[in-house]
Amino acid sequence: MSARTRWLSPALLALAAACGGSGGSGSRGGEAHPFLLVQAADYAELRQRAQASPWRELAQEALRFAREEEFDPGASDFAAFRRMLELCGALAIAAIVAPEPLWAEKLADTLAEWQGYYVATAPSGDGVQVRWQQSAMVESILALDILRGELEPARLLELETMLDTMLRTWWSERAQDGTTSTPGVVALWGIYRRDEGLAGAATQLFLQRLFAELTPGGVFDAGTGYAWVRQGGDRISKYALVDVLVFTGREPALYAEPRLVALHEWMYGGAFTPARTNLTFGDSDPTRPVEALLGYLQPYRAGRYSARAGRNAAWLVRDVEPRPLVTSFLLLDDSILQPEPPASRLWDDTATLFEDAGEQDSLAGALWSARTSGSHSHHDANAVHLFAYGRNVLRNSGYCGSGEGVDAQFDWDWIHATAESSNTATLAGAEHTGPEGGGLVDGLVGGAVELASALSGPALAGGEHRRELLLVHGDDEQSGYFVLLDGFRSDAPDVTARLFLHPDSAAVTTRVAGEEYVWTIGAGSAAPVELAVFLATPPLSAELQDGGLCAFDGNEYVARYLRAAYSTGAGRAVRALTLLVPSSAAHPAPLVARLGGTGFSGASVSGATTVDAGTVTLRHSAA
């Protein structure tokens, strides 16, 4: 916790436990407030919980925030959103753990600011201001539910009338381009108002949009970046309704819904690097930490979906100070006390292989082939992202913002809708037909060599690309490395397959033309990493090309990537073997040599391991 935190004294907590709660009591979904996410009958247990960490620290920060902070109507859009969000959330927590009349008075004054805040930003229905406002409105409604019984009837009517106008304006505009934000907050308001027409219609639309963003296996189909933006960060209006639907009994089985369980287990078990940064599938920025680290609600209720998701989320946010949100305080469960780094895992549409997820000085690789897509998807079926020794060593095109490219040559079309901007492949020079792949079809995790296999599915017309990604773990004798085994099948003979690999660097050396190329990632830094790309199967050609890599905050740049070509021949099929060998000062690269013969290509690694393009096994020679 930060130095500003004040401790709740045992005497204050005892006094809080002895006092009555704000609002009335009543059965869940009955006439008395609160009922959206907590009941007054729960307060005694919550006050007991506030005496133990981490609930204690969250309660302490909420009390400090509730006493000391004010809404600033002159703040920037984002600053105003955060202040409204956190102040309402903090006041609601304070009303539970240490009730006093001040909280209701301050909440009423804060909610009254909505009129000016709402009008000043002039929400058009599709701007970022609306996303932020709607998330702040979630905590506003929940706080009003908790403190409603403490407000004067006339003041309450005035506030509810004002908020009702705002919420119904959002609903009539159907803002946010098909996302869950507008129906999420409008449904919450409808439930609060017991307006079944509004609540039912908005809930139905929320659930339809929520599941439309997921693959049948539960992965967020537009990629990792927007999984965190929409389901793991500050846009809580896009996911918080689920908890209210469960608590009120309107949709009691949502926490156990298989796609939502898979979504949370993937997000907290495979949608990030060991440095807790973004993987580059779809619109995503690999230079930014994942949004779970911003301290908002999502990771603190991941345990509601599964114990594994909760433990992995606890590990991910192990050093993050949660913001004083009543949602987090109410939904945080005991899984936060059992942090556990994830292990390698296979899902139906993606895989993440970790050498050691708990250690940045390790290797990790991810393979992506989502079977459905969204507006933030790229043409990246069968793409990989590789991480080694604290750095992204192989990445995809990323995201600079909608419609933005790196320069005139590497424009939005290059970034968003060109397969060559990702670590994937094409047949006969044809662009991918779209973002959808064929999903994962095979894999093996848990040993010294781990594997994931995926198909191109509908992305390739006139043939198929099957990709195996292997992670060979390092040990005391030898550093680890990655293997790509790419199999191409064509409906026509003598078709050229092209493989594209994008190290995160423009600094490349050709060690042996057509065979080995070495990139330095982080050149000039205190801890650079090298990535050797070794073409074990001789290509028809291999070329180094310029290519744009996107990121926010001025971090986009033009890098150098490898384009290698292979012919399917008369047999209409070819297999290409590539080794990607990272190294650092602490992890020397193993020696790699090409092997080959009639109908055979492969490589030896430090004379002890043979990798064969004709099989997906690693053959270890006798010591």
Side-chain angles (χ1 to χ4, degrees):
M1 301 297 290
S2 67
R4 68 185 184 183
T5 300
R6 294 179 179 175
W7 291 87
L8 282 175
S9 69
L12 178 57
L13 285 168
L15 174 63
C19 294
S22 299
S25 61
S27 61
R28 185 173 301 173
E31 286 303 311
H33 290 262
F35 71 95
L36 293 175
L37 208 54
V38 68
Q39 295 177 275
D42 301 327
Y43 288 2
E45 180 183 349
L46 290 168
R47 290 166 188 150
Q48 281 297 116
R49 181 180 293 177
Q51 298 184 58
S53 182
W55 295 271
R56 177 179 58 209
E57 291 82 3
L58 187 51
Q60 291 160 358
E61 173 61 5
L63 281 169
R64 184 207 67 78
F65 207 94
R67 291 192 187 281
E68 299 178 6
E69 302 296 338
E70 304 283 346
F71 183 76
D72 178 6
S76 66
D77 295 336
F78 186 74
F81 142 71
R82 278 184 42 179
R83 184 59 57 87
M84 181 67 77
L85 178 88
E86 295 176 14
L87 187 52
C88 290
L91 287 165
I93 296 173
I96 294 171
V97 301
E100 59 177 273
L102 172 63
W103 311 136
E105 297 171 11
K106 191 164 185 177
L107 178 66
D109 291 342
T110 302
L111 294 180
E113 297 282 0
W114 263 108
Q115 185 67 50
Y117 173 40
Y118 180 88
V119 172
T121 53
S124 62
D126 60 355
V128 292
Q129 296 95 338
V130 177
R131 303 169 194 161
W132 295 338
Q133 286 184 344
Q134 290 177 343
S135 292
M137 186 63 79
V138 169
E139 295 290 312
S140 297
I141 296 170
L142 293 172
L144 187 58
D145 179 49
I146 290 168
L147 283 154
R148 187 177 189 274
E150 305 299 323
L151 297 173
E152 291 293 330
R155 189 78 187 279
L156 175 63
L157 178 60
E158 179 185 359
L159 291 171
E160 288 182 337
T161 301
M162 176 189 67
L163 296 177
D164 191 70
T165 299
M166 296 176 187
L167 270 296
R168 290 181 189 276
T169 299
W170 278 333
W171 181 238
S172 65
E173 292 178 359
R174 302 290 177 94
Q176 293 309 294
D177 301 328
T179 76
T180 52
S181 183
T182 294
V185 71
V186 171
L188 176 62
W189 182 245
I191 297 169
Y192 170 89
R193 298 282 283 180
R194 297 186 174 84
D195 182 334
E196 286 302 317
L198 185 64
T203 297
Q204 182 179 12
L205 184 60
F206 171 85
L207 293 174
Q208 181 266 317
R209 289 180 175 179
L210 172 65
F211 290 112
E213 294 182 322
L214 307 181
T215 69
V219 169
F220 196 87
D221 62 14
T224 46
Y226 265 79
W228 290 111
V229 167
R230 291 187 178 171
Q231 291 293 324
D234 57 20
R235 303 180 191 182
I236 68 173
S237 58
K238 295 186 176 181
Y239 55 82
L241 180 66
V242 169
D243 305 289
V244 174
L245 294 175
V246 172
F247 187 83
T248 58
R250 301 176 74 93
E251 296 284 347
L254 279 180
Y255 286 149
E257 210 286 330
R259 286 168 292 177
L260 294 183
V261 173
L263 171 69
H264 289 79
E265 291 190 351
W266 166 65
M267 286 179 64
Y268 294 100
F272 52 88
T273 73
R276 298 186 286 182
T277 51
N278 280 300
L279 299 170
T280 47
F281 302 123
D283 286 343
S284 55
D285 180 357
T287 69
R288 287 185 171 183
V290 295
E291 296 209 359
L293 305 182
L294 297 176
Y296 292 96
L297 161 66
Q298 228 276 20
Y300 302 106
R301 38 80 105 167
R304 302 278 169 167
Y305 293 92
S306 80
R308 187 204 309 236
R311 291 192 300 268
N312 290 163
W315 176 82
L316 187 66
V317 299
R318 59 195 181 275
D319 52 3
V320 176
E321 180 179 350
R323 298 179 187 277
L325 306 182
V326 69
T327 42
S328 300
F329 181 73
L330 295 175
L331 296 171
L332 188 62
D333 67 12
D334 288 343
S335 63
I336 198 69
L337 304 175
Q338 303 168 344
E340 179 181 290
S344 298
R345 183 92 184 269
L346 308 172
W347 290 268
D348 290 343
D349 301 274
T350 187
T352 303
L353 309 178
F354 290 110
E355 187 179 49
D356 182 357
E359 176 55 61
Q360 286 195 43
D361 195 32
S362 66
L363 306 183
L367 173 62
W368 177 262
S369 191
R371 293 165 293 164
T372 60
S373 63
S375 61
H376 289 279
S377 296
H378 288 196
H379 287 203
D380 54 5
N382 274 2
V384 295
H385 180 117
L386 304 183
F387 176 93
Y389 312 134
R391 296 187 181 275
N392 297 306
V393 293
L394 198 73
R395 53 158 292 192
N396 300 294
S397 57
Y399 190 49
C400 303
S402 180
E404 298 293 328
V406 177
D407 59 21
Q409 180 180 358
F410 306 109
D411 58 8
W412 174 244
D413 285 342
W414 162 268
I415 296 298
H416 185 260
T418 305
E420 191 158 348
S421 71
S422 294
N423 299 305
T424 183
T426 60
L427 272 178
E431 182 54 70
H432 283 194
T433 60
E436 294 88 357
L440 259 69
V441 293
D442 203 357
L444 180 67
V445 297
V449 178
E450 298 183 306
L451 175 147
S453 178
L455 294 177
S456 57
L460 291 190
E464 182 179 77
H465 172 212
R466 175 167 179 150
R467 165 165 279 178
E468 270 85 27
L469 167 66
L470 292 89
L471 169 60
V472 181
H473 290 226
D475 55 29
D476 292 340
E477 300 297 323
Q478 179 176 284
S479 301
Y481 56 95
F482 304 96
V483 177
L484 289 179
L485 182 59
D486 292 291
F488 299 94
R489 178 194 55 78
S490 173
D491 296 340
D494 298 316
V495 167
T496 299
R498 286 186 171 84
L499 179 67
F500 315 111
L501 297 172
H502 294 261
D504 196 0
S505 175
V508 57
T509 299
T510 300
R511 190 166 287 171
V512 179
E515 181 175 320
E516 187 172 14
Y517 304 83
V518 180
W519 279 260
T520 301
I521 296 95
S525 70
V529 174
E530 288 193 341
L531 179 70
V533 176
F534 189 88
L535 303 176
T537 300
L540 290 176
S541 63
E543 307 166 284
L544 293 171
Q545 301 286 328
D546 287 342
L549 294 179
C550 257
F552 285 108
D553 308 317
N555 290 314
E556 69 276 3
Y557 73 106
V558 176
R560 296 280 279 169
Y561 71 98
L562 182 66
R563 179 168 62 194
Y566 303 86
S567 175
T568 61
R572 304 186 182 187
V574 65
R575 292 166 73 88
L577 179 71
T578 308
L579 276 67
L580 300 111
V581 183
S583 60
S584 69
H587 301 276
L591 298 176
V592 182
R594 184 183 277 173
L595 303 176
T598 303
F600 166 78
S601 65
S604 67
V605 182
S606 292
T609 303
T610 300
V611 189
D612 182 355
T615 176
V616 296
T617 62
L618 296 179
R619 300 198 300 263
H620 295 268
S621 61

